[in-house]
């Protein structure tokens, strides 16, 4: 039991860290000047929806 609890907390912590980094990178690229330029030039827009997109502090 002493070994299982730290492993579970580590996995949960890594998952939360993954969510934070993935969201920051996605929003950072989409809001950057180069990201907006590429979107206008090539029309590339990913509408991939995630369960994480429905958060309470969504500006849309």
């Amino acid at each position: 039991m002493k070994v299982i609890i730290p492993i579970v907390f580590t996995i949960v912590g890594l998952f939360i860290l993954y969510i934070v980094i993935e969201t920051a990178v996605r929003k950072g690229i989409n809001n950057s000047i180069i990201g907006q330029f590429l979107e206008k030039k090539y029309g590339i827009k990913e509408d991939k929806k995630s369960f994480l997109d429905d958060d309470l502090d969504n500006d849309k």
Side-chain angles (χ1 to χ4, degrees), residues 30-57:
N30 289 342
N31 293 334
S32 70
I33 295 171
I34 295 174
Q36 292 173 359
F37 171 75
L38 291 175
E39 185 177 323
K40 286 180 184 177
K41 184 173 181 179
Y42 297 111
I44 300 172
K45 180 72 176 174
E46 287 191 32
D47 290 333
K48 180 180 172 186
K49 291 293 182 182
S50 172
F51 71 94
L52 301 173
D53 293 336
D54 297 329
D55 57 353
L56 296 175
D57 61 343

Side-chain angles (χ1 to χ4, degrees), residues 3 5 8 13 18 20 22-23 28-29 31 39 45 52 58-59:
V3 176
I5 293 174
V8 170
Y18 168 77
V20 169
E22 190 263 341
T23 303
I29 290 173
N31 293 334
E39 185 177 323
K45 180 72 176 174
L52 301 173
N58 196 355
D59 295 329

